[in-house]
Amino acid sequence: MTVTRTLFGRPLRGVAFDVAVAALVVLVALAAAVNQPGGWAATAVGLGMAVALLFRRTHPSAVTVAVAALALIQVIARWGPLIYDVAVLIALYSVVKYGRRLRDGVLAGAVAAVGVLLAAAQTPNVIQWWVTALWYALVTGAVWLVALNVRTRRLYVLSLEERATTLEREREAESRAAVAEERTRIARELHDVVAHSMAVMIVQADGARFMLDRDPAQARTAVKVVADTGRQALEEMRRLVGVLRDAGPAGADGADGLAVAADPEHRRLALAELPDLLARFDDAGLHVRSTVTGVPPALPPGLELTVYRVVQEALTNALKHAGVGAGVEVVLSYTAEAVVVRVVDDGRGRPLVSPAPSGGHGLLGMRERVTVYDGSLTAGPRLTGGWQVEVRLPLPSEPATEVIAA
């Protein structure tokens, strides 16, 4: 981030430059005080112009009026154009460049034209008058045109900066909306997982109550399932509350989402359905290959759902960006510490005529899901072409017990 130092609300660099310009005019006025017409009175006029130039950026129109008035005093006193009259050109440049309205610059140019005629009128003959008037007009016109060009470029740059700032705000707003939407979706699915666990606990507890006297061993097994399922549900509930808490104000409409999740038709997805998912993308035009390494452990339902969604989103992105005909490899690696999901495409497909529908925040949604389970996500292009997504999800310290309803 760039830090701009200011003085009296103005950039320090601009203030230093204006002070240097004013000091130069002062030095010129003092140096010519002895030999110039008007003596110290004319020097006082030059000093007044120098002081006025200190405010040329903040009050360009007022500075131009002040400098023009002092120049008029020069003309009336017939001191002739003096070297410090360069302040007139500086004021003209400033009002054209920094003025709020271009009309102020046009008016200043008209006044400068009159000043050129008055200054040239002090010449002794007609020929010299024409030469002097033409020279002053060329210099003044050149300064006015340069200032107009700088003003146009300055306003163009400011408009580009404003547009870039607006686009950045819009992108940030879209990203926040996408995060809120994804968190609401995660909350719905985790709620469904917790509701499933609670239903299993109720069934197992009822079974244990009826089998307590008839078959104590089976009752103990059922009670153990209730305890394990309760621990698992408690962990999922903790994650659910964390998601809703992080969602902030966006979680307000999460209640409606939870109500939808409680609908019995809201089906929980599981890794057992991954082959069907891969087959659907294969039918859509991707050449999908899948590999599983290691022994799949019994995963908590929420973690299982996260793995499913990561694969689903990665394949959707591959279909959208790599195109039909691209080769995709899906690798699931199970270790004692984590589950690693790796989806790689070769990027050699044909672009879709109608791109697959997407909110444009696939990676953002995956990152939100992975973060819920303290995982990590890396994604990016490959040197050999295509794209790679790799997700690492740490397993719980205690393996989840497989739940089977009695």
Side-chain angles (χ1 to χ4, degrees):
M1 182 178 65
T2 303
V3 178
T4 303
R5 297 182 179 180
T6 60
L7 180 66
F8 304 118
R10 295 171 56 191
L12 186 59
R13 189 173 166 185
V15 172
F17 183 79
D18 290 346
V19 170
V21 169
L24 180 62
V25 175
V26 169
L27 290 177
V28 170
L30 292 176
V34 178
N35 298 323
Q36 69 186 2
W40 288 103
T43 300
V45 171
L47 295 178
M49 290 182 178
V51 172
L53 291 180
L54 291 173
F55 307 95
R56 69 186 188 91
R57 296 177 192 261
T58 55
H59 303 85
S61 298
V63 168
T64 303
V65 170
V67 171
L70 292 171
L72 181 62
I73 293 176
Q74 249 184 278
V75 172
I76 295 174
R78 303 187 65 81
W79 292 333
L82 302 173
I83 189 170
Y84 60 70
D85 285 335
V86 67
V88 176
L89 298 178
I90 297 174
L92 177 63
Y93 175 90
S94 301
V95 74
V96 175
K97 179 180 178 180
Y98 299 111
R100 292 184 179 180
R101 299 178 300 272
L102 182 59
R103 183 177 61 187
D104 296 341
V106 173
L107 182 60
V111 172
V114 174
V116 165
L117 297 177
L118 293 176
Q122 300 185 37
T123 56
N125 57 66
V126 176
I127 296 178
Q128 192 172 358
W129 182 91
W130 278 105
V131 172
T132 304
L134 183 60
W135 168 249
Y136 288 162
L138 288 176
V139 173
T140 304
V143 170
W144 194 92
L145 290 176
V146 168
L148 178 63
N149 181 57
V150 174
R151 174 191 177 91
T152 303
R153 292 181 58 186
R154 174 171 170 266
L155 293 179
Y156 177 69
V157 170
L158 289 176
S159 68
L160 289 181
E161 292 177 350
E162 183 178 357
R163 186 182 305 174
T165 303
T166 301
L167 290 176
E168 184 65 24
R169 285 198 299 264
E170 290 177 354
R171 280 195 295 268
E172 290 177 357
E174 289 178 359
S175 297
R176 286 194 297 268
V179 169
E181 182 180 356
E182 188 64 24
R183 285 176 175 172
T184 301
R185 184 180 179 187
I186 295 171
R188 293 173 184 173
E189 293 175 345
L190 288 180
H191 172 270
D192 187 52
V193 169
V194 173
H196 169 76
S197 299
M198 293 298 180
V200 170
M201 291 171 63
I202 293 171
V203 172
Q204 295 287 357
D206 286 341
R209 180 162 59 89
F210 287 114
M211 298 300 295
L212 188 60
D213 296 329
R214 300 179 185 178
D215 192 344
Q218 187 173 351
R220 281 195 295 273
T221 302
V223 171
K224 183 178 183 303
V225 171
V226 171
D228 292 341
T229 305
R231 293 190 191 95
Q232 182 176 286
L234 186 61
E235 177 65 17
E236 298 294 345
M237 183 64 74
R238 180 187 68 80
R239 298 184 189 279
L240 170 61
V241 172
V243 169
L244 292 177
R245 180 182 294 122
D246 291 342
D253 55 3
D256 297 335
L258 297 181
V260 172
D263 191 331
E265 294 183 1
H266 188 78
R267 185 170 57 88
R268 183 173 67 85
L269 300 170
L271 289 183
E273 302 184 37
L274 262 183
D276 294 336
L277 176 68
L278 301 182
R280 287 198 298 271
F281 278 96
D282 198 79
D283 294 338
L286 293 178
H287 300 312
V288 183
R289 301 184 306 275
S290 63
T291 305
V292 178
T293 61
V295 179
L299 300 178
L303 186 59
E304 191 174 346
L305 178 61
T306 296
V307 173
Y308 183 94
R309 290 300 191 194
V310 165
V311 174
Q312 182 184 42
E313 188 62 46
L315 290 176
T316 301
N317 288 343
L319 181 62
K320 179 182 178 183
H321 298 290
V324 175
V328 183
E329 184 179 9
V330 179
V331 179
L332 291 180
S333 300
Y334 297 98
T335 66
E337 295 82 20
V339 180
V340 178
V341 182
R342 190 165 175 263
V343 181
V344 181
D345 68 75
D346 57 16
R348 298 176 182 173
R350 302 187 308 275
L352 295 175
V353 177
S354 298
S358 173
H361 300 281
L363 289 177
L364 187 62
M366 279 193 279
R367 196 175 300 279
E368 286 294 316
R369 289 181 176 276
V370 170
T371 302
V372 170
Y373 286 92
D374 301 323
S376 61
L377 180 145
T378 56
R382 304 167 64 218
L383 293 177
T384 56
W387 191 269
Q388 173 177 313
V389 175
E390 184 170 325
V391 169
R392 187 181 187 278
L393 295 165
L395 294 177
S397 56
E398 295 181 1
T401 303
E402 188 164 353
V403 179
I404 302 176

